[in-house]
């Protein structure tokens, strides 16, 4: 079967990582895969519908579009039009652009069970299927014994004030959707300078220092005068100057730090969570997400969350992540409790870490991709 894959797999962000993982998974199905990149830039997307290689669709049996739902298109030249959507939210508006575009396709694939159930009743005759979260195929090799250390010999947090501390860490932007405020409030209210721990927040792209300081100060004010500044727990924001965080640096942090935290509002499985699993780390993640559906309590700490309308002061696209959609927001108290248990309960942490070795092996096995083969052939 000849398959055309279209997605943002060349971008160096979460959308790019998810797309590369999906492309790698499709290649493991034994079909002939041709890939064409698209790029999300600001409030627009470089559309591929006018690309000559795309419109010559008679050479392909299936097109797999890994795009935002609002940008999905239908082309009758293909035997099957499939949309694979990183649906961060549940769309509650039946006449929304996203739902309207999904109805045009033959199949829609998502990786969150609640999203799948919701869409099955909203997309008419379009078949909606649940797929597994996939990891970048290069991860297994990247985290092989000594490989990261050879490519990044100086380490990332060695010979710093953090080297003898228990390291919590998170990565992403400093936007609302990443759950940064909830994470900072949980950390500041639960820990103090007397705890031998630190929180490192790694920004994938440069953020103005004034914005960082403003958010940190705001979170201190929100929790009240719990302790004076001299007694506050250690926090460090790694802010790249011009270029985004290198892959080597990101993988090195997974290996050197102790506990990855991903409190974002998305219903999907963040690719960084799977990186942490491959590094035998113990992630703290939201329940009701595809990541928790995959890992459960045996490989992670689940944070309680609640469903809320999406109301943000900033968004990448005007018609996405609006109040017509709902997302899951983490409960600060639950984050605090999970962080405290990860910090104090070494036995449980090691037990989860050992289980993650098995999880990484399962994700890398050929049998993990059998369901994807069946979907393509159905």
């Amino acid at each position: 079967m000849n398959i055309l894959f279209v997605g943002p797999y060349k971008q160096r962000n979460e959308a790019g990582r998810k797309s590369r993982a999906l492309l790698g998974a499709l290649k493991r199905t034994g079909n002939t895969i041709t890939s064409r990149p698209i790029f999300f830039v600001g409030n627009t997307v470089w559309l591929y519908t006018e690309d000559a290689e795309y419109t010559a669709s008679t050479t392909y049996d299936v097109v797999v579009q890994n795009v935002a739902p609002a940008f999905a298109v239908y082309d009758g030249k293909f035997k099957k039009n499939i949309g694979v959507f990183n649906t961060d939210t549940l769309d509650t508006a039946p006449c929304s652009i996203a739902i309207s575009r999904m109805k045009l396709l033959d199949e829609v694939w998502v990786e969150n069970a609640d999203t799948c159930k919701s869409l099955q009743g909203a997309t008419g005759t379009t078949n909606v299927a649940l797929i597994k979260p996939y990891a970048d195929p290069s991860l297994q090799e990247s985290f092989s014994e000594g490989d990261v250390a050879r490519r990044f010999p100086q380490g990332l947090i060695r010979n710093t004030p953090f080297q003898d501390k228990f390291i919590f860490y998170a990565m992403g932007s400093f936007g609302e959707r990443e759950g940064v405020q909830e994470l900072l409030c949980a950390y500041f209210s639960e820990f103090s300078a007397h705890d031998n721990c630190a929180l490192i927040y790694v920004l994938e792209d440069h953020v103005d220092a004034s914005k960082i300081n403003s958010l940190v100060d705001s979170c201190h004010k929100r929790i009240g005068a719990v302790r004076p500044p001299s007694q506050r727990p250690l926090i460090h924001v790694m802010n790249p100057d011009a270029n985004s965080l290198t892959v080597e640096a990101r993988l090195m942090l997974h290996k050197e730090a102790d506990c990855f935290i991903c409190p974002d509002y998305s219903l999907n499985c963040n690719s960084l969570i799977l990186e942490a699993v491959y590094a035998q780390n113990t992630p703290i993640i939201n329940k009701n997400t595809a990541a928790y559906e995959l890992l459960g309590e045996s490989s992670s700490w689940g944070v309680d969350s609640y469903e809320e309308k999406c109301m943000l002061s900033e968004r990448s696209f005007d018609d996405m992540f609006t109040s017509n959609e709902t997302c899951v927001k983490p409960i600060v108290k639950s984050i605090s409790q999970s962080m405290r248990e990860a910090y104090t309960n070494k036995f449980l942490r090691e037990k989860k870490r050992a289980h993650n070795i098995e999880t990484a092996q399962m994700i890398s096995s050929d049998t993990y991709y059998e369901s994807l083969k069946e979907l393509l052939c159905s």
Side-chain angles (χ1 to χ4, degrees), residues 309-337:
K309 281 182 172 291
C310 301
M311 293 175 285
L312 304 177
S313 58
E314 298 178 359
R315 52 180 53 86
S316 301
F317 296 92
D318 294 336
D319 57 350
M320 293 172 58
F321 228 80
T322 69
S323 59
N324 285 333
E325 305 161 61
T326 61
C327 57
V328 290
K329 293 187 176 182
I331 297 175
V332 173
K333 182 179 179 181
S334 186
I335 299 177
S336 295
Q337 292 172 336

Side-chain angles (χ1 to χ4, degrees), residues 1-4 60-64 78-80 82 376:
M1 185 185 301
N2 292 324
I3 298 173
L4 174 64
Y60 305 107
D61 302 304
V62 175
V63 60
V64 177
F78 295 102
K79 295 178 182 178
K80 185 186 292 187
I82 301 173
L376 287 168

